[in-house]
Every structure is written in structure tokens, then in C-alpha cells.
Amino acid sequence: MNFSQHNRPQFIGKASNTEFDLLVIGGGITGCGIALDAALRGMKVALIEKKDFGFGTSSRSTKLIHGGLRYLKQLELKLVRDVGRERAIVHRNARHVVLPEKMLLPIVKDGSLGKQSSSLGLLVYDVLAGVKRKEQRVMLNKHFTLEAEPLLNETKVTGGGLYFEYRTDDARLVIELAKSAFSEGALLLNYCEAKKFTKNASGKINGIEVEDKLDGKTFTISAKKIVNAAGPWVDILRKEDGSLTGKRLQLTKGVHIVFPYAKIPLKQAVYFDTPDGRMIFAIPRNGITYVGTTDTVYNQNIDSPRASKSDVDYLLKAVNAMFPKVEVKATDVISSWAGLRPLIHEDGKSPSELSRKDEIIIAPSGLISIAGGKLTGFRLMAEKVTSLVSKLLNTEDGKIFASCTTKKYLLCGGKFNDHEDLKKHFQDLKNNCAFSDIEEEKLLTLFHRYGSETQKVLSFLSFQKNENINEQILLAELKYCIENESVYHAEDFLVCRTGNLFFAHPQTIVLLTKIVEFLAAEWQWNNTQKDTALATVTKLFNDAVTFE
Ligand code: FAD
């Protein structure tokens, strides 16, 4: 059976009629990572997500699989070591969507890093993360730093360091995890919100009352163990459980803004100092350059964080100081996103000082909450949580599950033995498309989205003469995502499957009506449903370029 909303009635039926070993709340990177790990160990596992998979923080990050160089300054050596080592593992798990990226760290006069400390810091970073010798950092003098990135402020730069990271599309990584978990037997439902816990006579959690957000109906899912992986919403569920005591979340907001590549034509990704002593990224990719992030305490509505005018001004100031030739203004911004970091509160610490470590909290009711952490460390977090669940089920029920196998698992779309295999696969794809109008760059974008599944996406192309080929490809992607990636709303497709809201805002906003028409035909929406769908997705596109 496909991972498609067409099969939703059967999925809901199964969810209400099964007692699961494990039920996960939250379909971000953390929850989907746990669902996959648990399914691979042989657990009967279900996951519910109140919006779309990845729609929370996991589609609003800097989109780097990185070791967190700046945590070295805070002496978080274990964190740097753990996530640093995870980079290469996650790359092997999903080579199509986790790509190596050289990062330039410019050293500037009056900056937070000196030449000696940068050189030593980057070396320690490489050693802790176990980076191969040929990929270890290279220190550059002023001349070669400016050659690597000519847009840098030549009056400020004194040198630089080139080091090794990976970039990803966070939401696509989540979807590949969700699809993989589904293919391994897990049941994953988006648009299902956990409302209330059900408990047995001794007060132990044994299920959840769920609201189906697509039809408003409620049903109950029973499970022996429940993991709360709700990211920024973790404490709301702990409160509902009656166990919000001791450690609490401190949410901080991080904003990114997007420019046309021509406005900030960087030769390469740069991690640079801001005038107030923080560090931010500028990353060129696929015809745009994005810049971020901010880090400010957040106490407003968790469901809809947005970039404010002051966030945008802060980032513009930092860009213009480091790359004075670009002279960017607010009107140059073509999209933006804002995400909330679910960090653990520590008294007296500023947002940037709060640790990015993850933490598991077990409530007296048995609710297991996981908070903190990074996108990069999701596999390790999932391993920790699933091992705990496995141990508990063994002690309480005598059940025996396999141990963790995610280290060597090839995710859906990432079925490549090595880099050569990936290259060969892309070459085969090019050969197959040789007589079509599909440009190589477009094909590469699709390949980095769908990997070993790209041919299946292309099989939905109808090749209608006189129609724009890129629009036809977009609709083929949409059909593939409806059939195989559980897409229901236009925003599912434009935020978490393609990232077009962020990376192709101007080209996509003019196609919203067409996309909604396509979905309306698929789901047989009436005019009111169609109008609501169009209004919702249009608002999302407008919000990404409106700053108050
Ligand atoms: P989320 O992705 O938020 O998922 C939680 C999900 O739970 C949500 O989808 C939500 O809808 C769902 N949910 C909530 N309540 C319920 C309910 N009652 N019922 C059902 N579902 C519910 N990390 C990196 O490694 N690299 C980076 O480059 C990076 N950059 C970042 C930049 C920014 C600006 C931010 C904010 C974070 C960044 N991070 C980065 C950290 C990383 O993005 C997060 O740690 C990670 O995405 C958190 O994932 P999560 O699954 O725990 O939370």
C-alpha cells in the first residue's frame, strides 16, 4: 500500500484497532528518526503529526549537517564530537540529500576569532569529528581568502580557514525518514493531533485521544509506550500529562532571509562574524543565497513564528558589513523562514549560550519526552530513545527486539552503495532524458530531492506539447508526492516536499492557482474548499515577504 492520503481510511482504521508497542507524537526529524529505528528493530510503531511531516522546526533550520563549530568556544566537546561524527553517517544514509560543502571562515580585524585560535579550533573540530586527513581544514592568507570569496570586506579580512561540512534540505530528510519508516512497517499519519492522554487505573499512560485534522473526527490510539517528540510543543504535552515540573524548554527564534543569487553572488558558503559578536551563515544554492540565523528569546505563538522587521534589519546589517559590495536592502529579500529551537532552559544564559544537547525526561505516567538536540544528531537521539523503549518493553513485557541498525541503513531515495554509484545513477538518468527538454540543472535539482526515486517522479510527466516543461515537471512532482509522500495540502508540497516557498518563491507564487486546481481535482474539493486552500497557501507566500 502506498504512503498516500488515498489510503488514509485504512491507516486510521489500523491506528484505532491496534495496540502499538510504541506511539510517537511529532513528525519532525526527531519523531521520524525514532519511528524508523523502532520499525527496524521489529516494534509495532505508529507516529502522529498534527500538521505535515517536517512542518515545525525541521523545515526552518539552516539546513546544515554540521558539527557546530561555535560550540567549541563553549567547550561542549562531547556535543561537537557526537554530532561531528554523525555528519558522515547521515551523508552515507542519504547521499542524494546530504551533500559535502566547503565552508569558509574568514578571520577579520576585531572579530571573535584570531588566526591562531581559528587554526587550532578548526583542527580540534576535525579531530573530534574524525574528519579524513584529505578533508581536514586548510588555513588561508588574506590573498587566498579573498580569492576564495571576492565579495568579502577586503579592509577587514586578514585570512581565513576552509573546512568541511555538509548541507541538506532538512524537510526532505524528514520525508525520506518517514517514507523509510513506512516502508519498514511503521504507521505514520500527518494531520492527526494528540489531544489527551488515556491512562490505566494506576495512572500510567496507555493511549492518546487523537483529532483527525482533515475531517474533525476523533479516535483513540493505544500503545504500551508513548514518546513525546513534539519539538517546541514538548512542554504543552507534558502539561497535558500533568508532569510539567523540573526542566522546561526555552524557545529561541532563528530567522533566515533569501536573496536572488545575483544580489549576493557568493562563490562559496561563508560562516562569518556579525557586528555584535555572533556568527552567521551565508549559503549560495540553486539560484539563491540565504543568510541566517538570528537567535532571540521567543514567547509568542508557537504555531506561526515569523521574521520581523528587526530580524531582517539585523541580518541585512551583518551582510552589508561583511560583504560591502552587495549593498542589500529589505526590498531585495525574496523569501524568509523562522524556526523555534526547542532548547532546555538554563538560568542566566543568553539564547546563543544555551546548550544544544538533547535530554530525555521520563514522567511518572511513563510519558517519555525528548527535547533539545540538533537536526544533525537525530539518528543518535533516535537510537538512545528507542533503546530505552526496547529496554522498558523487555523488562515489563519480556519482549525482545533487535538492536539499532540505522548506522548502515540507506534511506528511501538514498539507495546508493557509494559516490560512484550515485554518479552512475545520475548519468543513467541523464541518458534517459537525453531526448527531452529537461535541462541538466533541473534534473540535478530533482535528483537531490528524490535521489534513487527520480525516475519514478519523471514517469508522471505527461509531456504535453506547448506547455512549459518546468510547470509540467512541477505537476509530475506533485502527483508523485500525492501517491508516495502523503501530500494533502498545497503547502505540504511547497514547504516540506520541494522547499519552493523558500527557494523558488517568485517562480512558484504565480503557479499557486494551478497547483490548487490540481489538488482540487485529486480530492474532489468543492469551490469553497478550493478557495480556502488557495487563500491559505497564498497567505503563507505573502507572510514570507512581509515583515512587521
Ligand atoms: P520539530 O521539527 O518542531 O517537530 C515537532 C513536531 O511535533 C512538529 O512538526 C509539530 O507539528 C508536532 N506536534 C506538536 N504537537 C503535536 C501534537 N499535539 N500532536 C501531534 N503532533 C504534534 N540543527 C542542525 O543540525 N543544523 C542546522 O543547520 C540547524 N539550524 C537551525 C536553525 C534554526 C533557525 C533553528 C530554529 C534550529 C536549527 N537546528 C539545526 C536545530 C534543528 O532544526 C532542530 O533541533 C530540529 O529540527 C528539531 O526537530 P524536532 O523533530 O525535535 O522538532
Side-chain angles (χ1 to χ4, degrees), residues 24-32 47-67 71 83 166 168 170 174 189 192-195 208 210 228-234 236-237 252-256 281 283 290 292-294 303 337-343 356 370-378 381:
V24 182
I25 310 170
I29 194 90
T30 311
C32 290
L47 177 148
I48 49 169
E49 160 56 51
K50 71 174 179 164
K51 291 203 78 171
D52 185 28
F53 304 113
F55 206 84
T57 304
S58 299
S59 52
R60 324 281 158 159
S61 77
T62 309
K63 304 177 195 295
L64 290 174
I65 297 296
H66 66 149
Y71 311 131
V83 286
Y166 294 88
T168 191
D170 45 10
V174 174
L189 285 161
C192 277
E193 180 168 0
K195 289 300 229 188
I208 298 179
V210 178
N228 169 12
W233 295 263
V234 154
I236 295 178
L237 286 159
T252 79
K253 184 175 78 163
V255 164
H256 291 82
F281 293 96
I283 302 175
Y290 66 92
T293 172
T294 58
D303 286 313
W337 64 88
L340 301 177
R341 300 176 185 84
L343 307 176
R356 268 57 179 168
I370 169 103
K374 307 241 344 133
L375 191 80
T376 311
F378 81 86
M381 282 162 74

Coordinates of all heavy atoms in Angstrom, one line a residue, residues 24-32 47-67 71 83 166 168 170 174 189 192-195 208 210 228-234 236-237 252-256 281 283 290 292-294 303 337-343 356 370-378 381, ligand 1:
V24 N 4.6 7.5 18.7 CA 5.5 8.7 18.7 C 4.6 9.9 18.4 O 3.8 9.9 17.4 CB 6.6 8.6 17.7 CG1 7.5 9.8 17.7 CG2 7.4 7.3 17.9
I25 N 4.7 11.0 19.2 CA 4.0 12.2 18.9 C 5.0 13.2 18.3 O 6.0 13.5 18.9 CB 3.4 12.9 20.2 CG1 2.6 11.9 21.0 CG2 2.5 14.1 19.8 CD1 2.2 12.4 22.3
G26 N 4.7 13.6 17.0 CA 5.6 14.6 16.4 C 6.3 14.0 15.2 O 7.1 13.1 15.3
G27 N 6.0 14.6 14.0 CA 6.7 14.1 12.8 C 7.7 15.1 12.3 O 7.8 15.4 11.1
G28 N 8.6 15.5 13.2 CA 9.8 16.3 12.8 C 10.9 15.3 12.6 O 10.7 14.0 12.6
I29 N 12.1 15.8 12.5 CA 13.3 14.9 12.3 C 13.4 13.9 13.5 O 13.7 12.7 13.3 CB 14.6 15.7 12.1 CG1 15.7 14.8 11.6 CG2 15.1 16.4 13.4 CD1 15.8 14.8 10.1
T30 N 13.1 14.4 14.8 CA 13.3 13.5 15.9 C 12.3 12.4 15.9 O 12.7 11.2 16.0 CB 13.1 14.4 17.2 OG1 13.9 15.5 17.1 CG2 13.5 13.6 18.5
G31 N 11.0 12.7 15.7 CA 10.0 11.7 15.7 C 10.2 10.7 14.6 O 10.1 9.5 14.8
C32 N 10.4 11.2 13.4 CA 10.5 10.3 12.2 C 11.8 9.4 12.4 O 11.8 8.2 12.0 CB 10.6 11.1 10.9 SG 9.0 11.8 10.6
L47 N 3.2 6.8 14.4 CA 3.6 8.2 14.6 C 2.4 9.1 14.2 O 1.8 8.9 13.1 CB 4.8 8.5 13.9 CG 5.4 9.9 13.9 CD1 6.9 9.9 13.8 CD2 4.8 10.9 12.9
I48 N 2.1 10.1 15.0 CA 1.1 11.1 14.6 C 1.8 12.5 14.6 O 2.6 12.9 15.4 CB -0.1 11.1 15.5 CG1 0.3 11.2 17.0 CG2 -1.0 10.0 15.2 CD1 -0.9 11.5 17.9
E49 N 1.4 13.3 13.6 CA 1.9 14.6 13.4 C 0.7 15.6 13.2 O -0.2 15.3 12.3 CB 2.8 14.7 12.2 CG 3.1 16.0 11.5 CD 3.6 17.1 12.5 OE1 4.6 16.8 13.2 OE2 3.0 18.2 12.6
K50 N 0.6 16.7 13.9 CA -0.6 17.5 13.9 C -0.7 18.3 12.6 O -1.8 18.7 12.2 CB -0.8 18.4 15.1 CG 0.2 19.5 15.2 CD -0.2 20.4 16.4 CE 0.8 21.5 16.6 NZ 0.3 22.5 17.5
K51 N 0.4 18.6 12.0 CA 0.4 19.3 10.7 C 1.0 18.4 9.6 O 0.5 17.3 9.5 CB 1.1 20.7 10.8 CG 0.4 21.6 11.7 CD 0.8 23.1 11.4 CE 0.1 23.6 10.2 NZ 0.2 25.1 10.0
D52 N 2.0 18.9 8.9 CA 2.6 18.0 8.0 C 4.0 17.5 8.5 O 4.6 18.2 9.3 CB 2.8 18.7 6.6 CG 3.4 17.9 5.5 OD1 3.1 16.6 5.6 OD2 4.0 18.4 4.6
F53 N 4.5 16.4 8.0 CA 5.8 15.9 8.4 C 6.8 17.0 8.1 O 6.9 17.5 7.0 CB 6.2 14.6 7.7 CG 5.1 13.5 7.8 CD1 4.4 13.1 6.8 CD2 4.9 13.0 9.1 CE1 3.4 12.1 6.9 CE2 4.0 12.0 9.2 CZ 3.2 11.5 8.2
G54 N 7.6 17.4 9.1 CA 8.6 18.4 8.9 C 8.2 19.8 9.0 O 9.0 20.8 8.9
F55 N 6.9 20.1 9.2 CA 6.4 21.5 9.1 C 6.8 22.3 10.3 O 6.8 23.6 10.2 CB 4.8 21.5 9.1 CG 4.3 22.7 8.4 CD1 4.2 22.7 7.0 CD2 3.8 23.8 9.1 CE1 3.7 23.9 6.4 CE2 3.3 24.9 8.5 CZ 3.3 24.9 7.1
G56 N 7.3 21.7 11.4 CA 7.7 22.5 12.6 C 9.2 23.0 12.3 O 9.5 23.4 11.2
T57 N 10.0 22.9 13.4 CA 11.4 23.4 13.2 C 12.2 22.7 12.2 O 13.1 23.3 11.6 CB 12.1 23.2 14.6 OG1 11.3 23.9 15.6 CG2 13.5 23.8 14.6
S58 N 11.8 21.5 11.9 CA 12.6 20.7 11.0 C 12.5 21.1 9.5 O 13.1 20.5 8.6 CB 12.3 19.2 11.1 OG 12.5 18.7 12.4
S59 N 11.8 22.2 9.2 CA 11.9 22.7 7.8 C 12.4 24.2 7.9 O 12.4 24.9 6.9 CB 10.5 22.7 7.1 OG 9.5 23.3 8.0
R60 N 12.8 24.6 9.1 CA 13.2 26.0 9.3 C 14.6 26.2 9.8 O 14.9 27.2 10.4 CB 12.2 26.7 10.3 CG 10.8 26.3 10.2 CD 10.0 26.9 9.1 NE 8.9 26.1 8.8 CZ 7.8 26.5 8.1 NH1 7.7 27.7 7.7 NH2 6.8 25.7 7.9
S61 N 15.4 25.2 9.6 CA 16.8 25.2 10.2 C 17.7 25.9 9.2 O 17.3 26.3 8.1 CB 17.3 23.8 10.5 OG 17.7 23.2 9.3
T62 N 19.0 26.0 9.5 CA 20.0 26.5 8.5 C 20.3 25.5 7.4 O 21.0 25.7 6.4 CB 21.3 26.9 9.2 OG1 20.9 27.8 10.3 CG2 22.2 27.7 8.4
K63 N 19.8 24.3 7.6 CA 19.9 23.2 6.6 C 21.3 22.7 6.4 O 21.8 22.5 5.3 CB 19.2 23.6 5.2 CG 17.8 24.1 5.5 CD 17.1 24.6 4.2 CE 15.8 25.4 4.6 NZ 14.7 24.6 5.2
L64 N 22.0 22.7 7.5 CA 23.4 22.1 7.5 C 23.4 20.9 8.4 O 22.8 20.8 9.5 CB 24.3 23.2 8.1 CG 24.6 24.4 7.2 CD1 25.5 25.4 8.0 CD2 25.2 24.0 5.9
I65 N 24.2 19.9 7.9 CA 24.5 18.8 8.8 C 25.9 19.1 9.2 O 26.9 18.9 8.5 CB 24.5 17.4 7.9 CG1 23.0 17.2 7.5 CG2 25.0 16.3 8.7 CD1 22.0 17.0 8.5
H66 N 26.0 19.7 10.4 CA 27.3 20.2 10.8 C 27.6 19.9 12.3 O 26.7 19.6 13.1 CB 27.3 21.8 10.6 CG 26.4 22.6 11.5 ND1 26.7 23.8 11.9 CD2 25.2 22.3 11.9 CE1 25.7 24.3 12.6 NE2 24.8 23.4 12.6
G67 N 28.9 20.0 12.6 CA 29.3 19.6 13.9 C 29.2 20.7 14.9 O 29.4 20.5 16.1
Y71 N 30.2 25.6 19.1 CA 30.0 25.0 20.4 C 31.4 24.7 21.0 O 31.5 24.4 22.2 CB 29.1 23.8 20.4 CG 27.8 24.0 19.6 CD1 27.4 23.2 18.6 CD2 27.1 25.2 19.9 CE1 26.2 23.5 17.9 CE2 25.9 25.5 19.2 CZ 25.5 24.6 18.2 OH 24.4 24.9 17.5
V83 N 28.0 15.1 17.2 CA 27.3 15.5 16.0 C 28.3 15.6 14.9 O 28.0 15.3 13.7 CB 26.5 16.8 16.1 CG1 25.2 16.6 16.9 CG2 27.3 17.9 16.7
Y166 N 28.5 19.6 5.7 CA 27.5 19.0 4.7 C 26.3 19.9 4.7 O 25.9 20.5 5.8 CB 27.0 17.6 5.1 CG 28.1 16.6 5.1 CD1 29.0 16.3 6.2 CD2 28.3 15.8 3.9 CE1 30.0 15.4 6.1 CE2 29.3 14.9 3.9 CZ 30.1 14.6 5.0 OH 31.1 13.7 4.9
T168 N 22.1 20.2 3.6 CA 20.9 19.3 3.3 C 19.7 20.1 3.0 O 19.7 21.3 3.0 CB 20.7 18.3 4.5 OG1 19.8 17.3 4.1 CG2 20.1 19.1 5.7
D170 N 16.5 20.1 5.1 CA 16.0 19.4 6.3 C 14.7 18.7 6.1 O 14.5 17.5 6.5 CB 15.9 20.5 7.4 CG 15.3 21.8 7.0 OD1 14.7 21.9 5.9 OD2 15.3 22.8 7.8
V174 N 13.5 14.7 6.5 CA 12.4 14.2 7.3 C 11.5 13.3 6.5 O 11.2 12.2 6.9 CB 11.6 15.3 7.9 CG1 10.4 14.8 8.6 CG2 12.4 16.2 8.8
L189 N 0.9 9.1 10.4 CA -0.2 9.9 10.0 C 0.0 11.3 10.2 O 0.3 11.8 11.3 CB -1.4 9.5 10.8 CG -2.1 8.1 10.5 CD1 -2.9 7.7 11.7 CD2 -3.0 8.2 9.3
C192 N -2.9 14.6 12.3 CA -3.5 14.0 13.4 C -2.9 14.5 14.7 O -1.7 14.4 14.9 CB -3.3 12.5 13.4 SG -4.4 11.6 12.3
E193 N -3.7 15.2 15.5 CA -3.2 15.9 16.7 C -3.4 15.1 18.0 O -4.6 14.7 18.2 CB -3.8 17.3 16.8 CG -3.3 18.1 18.0 CD -3.6 19.5 18.0 OE1 -4.3 20.0 17.0 OE2 -3.2 20.2 18.9
A194 N -2.4 14.9 18.8 CA -2.6 14.3 20.1 C -3.3 15.3 21.0 O -2.8 16.4 21.2 CB -1.2 14.0 20.7
K195 N -4.5 15.0 21.5 CA -5.2 15.9 22.3 C -5.1 15.6 23.8 O -5.0 16.5 24.6 CB -6.7 15.9 21.9 CG -7.0 16.5 20.5 CD -6.6 17.9 20.5 CE -7.6 18.8 19.9 NZ -7.0 20.2 19.7
I208 N -3.7 7.6 23.4 CA -3.9 9.1 23.1 C -5.2 9.2 22.4 O -5.5 8.5 21.5 CB -2.8 9.6 22.2 CG1 -1.4 9.5 22.9 CG2 -3.1 11.1 21.9 CD1 -0.3 10.1 22.1
V210 N -7.0 11.3 19.7 CA -6.4 12.0 18.6 C -7.5 12.7 17.8 O -8.6 12.1 17.6 CB -5.7 11.0 17.6 CG1 -5.1 11.6 16.4 CG2 -4.6 10.2 18.4
N228 N 7.1 11.6 23.4 CA 6.7 12.9 23.1 C 7.9 13.6 22.4 O 8.9 14.0 23.0 CB 6.4 13.6 24.4 CG 6.2 15.1 24.3 OD1 6.1 15.7 23.2 ND2 6.1 15.8 25.4
A229 N 7.9 13.6 21.0 CA 9.0 14.2 20.2 C 8.4 15.4 19.5 O 8.6 15.6 18.3 CB 9.5 13.2 19.2
A230 N 7.7 16.3 20.3 CA 6.9 17.4 19.7 C 7.7 18.7 19.6 O 7.2 19.8 19.4 CB 5.6 17.6 20.5
G231 N 9.1 18.6 19.7 CA 9.9 19.8 19.5 C 9.5 20.9 20.4 O 9.3 20.8 21.6
P232 N 9.2 22.1 19.8 CA 8.9 23.3 20.6 C 7.6 23.1 21.4 O 7.3 23.8 22.3 CB 8.7 24.4 19.6 CG 9.4 24.0 18.4 CD 9.4 22.5 18.4
W233 N 6.8 22.1 21.0 CA 5.5 21.8 21.7 C 5.6 20.8 22.8 O 4.6 20.4 23.4 CB 4.4 21.3 20.7 CG 4.1 22.3 19.6 CD1 3.0 23.2 19.7 CD2 4.7 22.6 18.4 NE1 2.9 23.9 18.5 CE2 4.0 23.6 17.7 CE3 5.9 22.1 17.8 CZ2 4.4 24.1 16.5 CZ3 6.3 22.6 16.5 CH2 5.5 23.6 15.9
V234 N 6.8 20.3 23.1 CA 7.0 19.2 24.1 C 6.4 19.6 25.4 O 5.7 18.7 26.0 CB 8.6 19.0 24.3 CG1 8.9 18.4 25.6 CG2 9.0 18.0 23.2
I236 N 3.9 21.6 26.1 CA 2.4 21.6 26.1 C 1.9 20.2 26.4 O 1.0 20.0 27.2 CB 1.9 22.1 24.7 CG1 2.4 23.6 24.5 CG2 0.4 22.0 24.6 CD1 2.0 24.2 23.2
L237 N 2.6 19.2 25.8 CA 2.1 17.8 26.1 C 2.5 17.3 27.5 O 1.7 16.6 28.1 CB 2.7 16.9 25.0 CG 2.0 17.0 23.6 CD1 2.9 16.5 22.5 CD2 0.7 16.3 23.6
T252 N 13.9 29.6 21.4 CA 14.6 30.8 20.8 C 14.3 30.8 19.3 O 14.2 29.7 18.7 CB 16.1 30.9 21.1 OG1 16.8 30.0 20.2 CG2 16.5 30.6 22.5
K253 N 14.1 32.0 18.8 CA 13.7 32.1 17.4 C 14.9 32.3 16.5 O 15.8 33.1 16.8 CB 12.7 33.2 17.2 CG 12.2 33.3 15.7 CD 11.1 34.4 15.6 CE 11.7 35.8 15.5 NZ 10.8 36.8 15.0
G254 N 14.9 31.6 15.4 CA 16.0 31.8 14.4 C 15.4 32.1 13.0 O 14.6 31.4 12.6
V255 N 15.9 33.2 12.4 CA 15.4 33.7 11.1 C 16.4 33.6 10.0 O 17.6 33.8 10.3 CB 14.9 35.1 11.3 CG1 14.7 35.8 9.9 CG2 13.6 35.2 12.1
H256 N 16.0 33.2 8.8 CA 16.8 33.2 7.6 C 16.1 34.0 6.6 O 14.9 34.0 6.5 CB 17.0 31.8 7.1 CG 17.8 30.9 7.9 ND1 17.4 30.3 9.0 CD2 19.2 30.7 7.9 CE1 18.3 29.6 9.6 NE2 19.5 29.8 9.0
F281 N 25.6 32.4 8.9 CA 26.0 31.7 7.6 C 25.4 32.5 6.4 O 24.3 33.0 6.5 CB 25.4 30.3 7.5 CG 26.0 29.3 8.5 CD1 25.4 29.1 9.7 CD2 27.1 28.6 8.2 CE1 25.9 28.2 10.6 CE2 27.7 27.7 9.1 CZ 27.1 27.5 10.3
I283 N 24.8 31.2 2.5 CA 24.9 29.9 1.7 C 24.3 30.1 0.4 O 23.1 30.3 0.2 CB 24.2 28.8 2.5 CG1 24.9 28.7 3.9 CG2 24.4 27.5 1.7 CD1 24.3 27.6 4.8
Y290 N 21.0 32.3 0.8 CA 20.3 32.6 2.1 C 21.2 32.9 3.2 O 22.4 32.4 3.2 CB 19.2 31.5 2.4 CG 19.8 30.1 2.8 CD1 20.0 29.8 4.1 CD2 19.9 29.2 1.8 CE1 20.4 28.5 4.4 CE2 20.4 27.9 2.1 CZ 20.6 27.6 3.4 OH 21.0 26.3 3.8
G292 N 21.5 33.5 7.6 CA 21.0 33.3 8.9 C 21.9 32.7 9.8 O 23.0 32.2 9.4
T293 N 21.7 32.8 11.1 CA 20.4 33.0 11.6 C 20.5 33.9 12.8 O 21.5 34.2 13.3 CB 19.8 31.6 12.1 OG1 18.6 31.8 12.8 CG2 20.8 30.9 13.0
T294 N 19.3 34.4 13.2 CA 19.2 35.2 14.4 C 19.1 34.2 15.6 O 18.9 33.0 15.4 CB 18.0 36.1 14.4 OG1 16.8 35.3 14.2 CG2 18.1 37.1 13.2
D303 N 2.8 28.3 17.0 CA 2.4 27.7 15.7 C 2.8 28.5 14.5 O 2.8 28.0 13.4 CB 0.9 27.5 15.7 CG 0.5 26.3 16.6 OD1 1.1 25.3 16.5 OD2 -0.4 26.5 17.4
W337 N 12.3 32.4 6.4 CA 11.7 31.5 7.2 C 12.1 31.7 8.7 O 13.2 32.3 8.9 CB 11.9 30.0 6.8 CG 13.3 29.5 6.8 CD1 13.9 28.9 7.9 CD2 14.2 29.5 5.8 NE1 15.2 28.5 7.6 CE2 15.4 28.8 6.3 CE3 14.2 29.9 4.5 CZ2 16.5 28.6 5.5 CZ3 15.4 29.7 3.7 CH2 16.5 29.1 4.2
A338 N 11.3 31.3 9.6 CA 11.6 31.5 11.0 C 11.3 30.1 11.7 O 10.3 29.5 11.5 CB 10.8 32.6 11.6
G339 N 12.3 29.7 12.6 CA 12.1 28.4 13.3 C 12.3 28.6 14.8 O 13.0 29.6 15.2
L340 N 11.8 27.7 15.6 CA 12.0 27.8 17.0 C 12.9 26.6 17.5 O 12.6 25.5 17.2 CB 10.6 27.7 17.7 CG 9.6 28.8 17.3 CD1 8.3 28.6 18.0 CD2 10.2 30.2 17.7
R341 N 13.9 27.0 18.2 CA 14.8 26.0 18.8 C 14.2 25.5 20.1 O 14.0 26.3 21.0 CB 16.2 26.5 19.1 CG 16.9 27.1 17.9 CD 18.2 27.7 18.3 NE 18.9 28.3 17.1 CZ 18.6 29.6 16.7 NH1 17.7 30.3 17.3 NH2 19.2 30.0 15.6
P342 N 14.0 24.2 20.2 CA 13.4 23.6 21.5 C 14.6 23.3 22.4 O 15.0 22.2 22.6 CB 12.7 22.3 21.0 CG 13.3 21.9 19.7 CD 14.1 23.1 19.2
L343 N 15.1 24.4 23.1 CA 16.3 24.2 24.0 C 15.8 24.0 25.4 O 14.7 24.4 25.8 CB 17.2 25.4 23.9 CG 17.6 25.7 22.4 CD1 18.5 27.0 22.4 CD2 18.4 24.6 21.8
R356 N 22.9 23.0 23.1 CA 22.1 22.3 22.1 C 22.0 20.8 22.4 O 21.7 20.0 21.5 CB 22.7 22.6 20.7 CG 22.2 23.8 20.0 CD 22.3 25.1 20.7 NE 21.8 26.2 19.9 CZ 21.5 27.4 20.3 NH1 21.7 27.7 21.6 NH2 21.1 28.3 19.5
I370 N 11.5 13.8 24.7 CA 12.8 14.1 24.2 C 12.9 15.5 23.7 O 12.1 16.0 22.9 CB 13.3 13.1 23.1 CG1 14.6 13.5 22.5 CG2 12.3 12.8 22.0 CD1 15.8 12.8 22.9
A371 N 13.8 16.3 24.2 CA 13.9 17.7 23.9 C 15.4 18.1 23.6 O 16.3 17.4 23.9 CB 13.3 18.6 25.0
G372 N 15.5 19.3 23.0 CA 16.9 19.8 22.7 C 17.4 19.1 21.5 O 16.6 18.6 20.7
G373 N 18.7 19.1 21.3 CA 19.3 18.4 20.2 C 19.4 19.2 18.9 O 19.0 20.4 18.9
K374 N 19.9 18.6 17.9 CA 20.2 19.2 16.6 C 19.6 18.3 15.5 O 19.6 17.1 15.7 CB 21.7 19.4 16.3 CG 22.4 20.2 17.4 CD 23.0 21.4 17.0 CE 23.3 21.8 15.6 NZ 22.8 23.2 15.3
L375 N 19.4 18.9 14.4 CA 19.0 18.1 13.2 C 20.1 17.0 13.0 O 19.8 15.8 12.8 CB 19.0 19.0 12.0 CG 18.4 18.6 10.7 CD1 16.9 18.6 10.8 CD2 18.8 19.5 9.6
T376 N 21.3 17.5 13.0 CA 22.5 16.6 12.7 C 22.5 15.3 13.6 O 22.9 14.3 13.2 CB 23.8 17.4 12.9 OG1 23.7 18.6 12.2 CG2 25.0 16.6 12.4
G377 N 22.1 15.5 14.9 CA 22.2 14.4 15.8 C 21.0 13.5 15.9 O 20.9 12.7 16.8
F378 N 20.1 13.6 14.9 CA 18.8 13.0 15.1 C 18.9 11.4 15.2 O 18.2 10.8 15.9 CB 17.8 13.3 13.9 CG 18.1 12.5 12.7 CD1 17.5 11.2 12.5 CD2 19.0 12.9 11.7 CE1 17.8 10.5 11.4 CE2 19.3 12.2 10.6 CZ 18.7 10.9 10.4
M381 N 20.0 10.5 18.7 CA 18.9 10.7 19.6 C 17.9 9.6 19.5 O 17.4 9.0 20.5 CB 18.2 12.0 19.3 CG 18.9 13.3 19.8 SD 18.3 14.8 19.0 CE 16.8 15.0 19.7
Ligands
FAD1 P1 10.0 19.7 15.1 O1 10.7 19.7 13.8 O2 9.5 21.0 15.5 O3 8.9 18.6 15.2 C1 8.0 18.5 16.2 C2 6.7 18.2 15.5 O4 5.7 17.9 16.5 C3 6.1 19.4 14.7 O5 6.0 19.0 13.4 C4 4.7 19.6 15.4 O6 3.7 19.9 14.4 C5 4.4 18.3 16.0 N1 3.5 18.3 17.1 C6 3.5 19.2 18.1 N2 2.4 19.0 19.0 C7 1.8 17.9 18.5 C8 0.6 17.2 18.9 N3 -0.1 17.6 20.0 N4 0.2 16.1 18.1 C9 0.9 15.8 17.0 N5 2.0 16.4 16.6 C10 2.4 17.5 17.3 N6 20.3 21.8 13.5 C11 21.3 21.3 12.7 O7 21.8 20.2 12.9 N7 21.8 22.0 11.7 C12 21.3 23.3 11.4 O8 21.7 23.9 10.4 C13 20.3 23.8 12.3 N8 19.9 25.1 12.1 C14 18.9 25.6 12.8 C15 18.5 26.9 12.6 C16 17.3 27.4 13.3 C17 16.9 28.7 13.0 C18 16.7 26.5 14.2 C19 15.4 27.1 14.9 C20 17.2 25.3 14.5 C21 18.3 24.8 13.8 N9 18.8 23.5 14.1 C22 19.8 23.0 13.3 C23 18.2 22.6 15.1 C24 17.1 21.7 14.4 O9 16.4 22.3 13.4 C25 16.1 21.2 15.5 O10 16.9 20.6 16.6 C26 15.2 20.1 14.9 O11 14.7 20.4 13.7 C27 14.1 19.8 15.9 O12 13.3 18.7 15.4 P2 12.1 18.1 16.2 O13 11.7 17.0 15.4 O14 12.6 17.9 17.6 O15 11.1 19.3 16.3

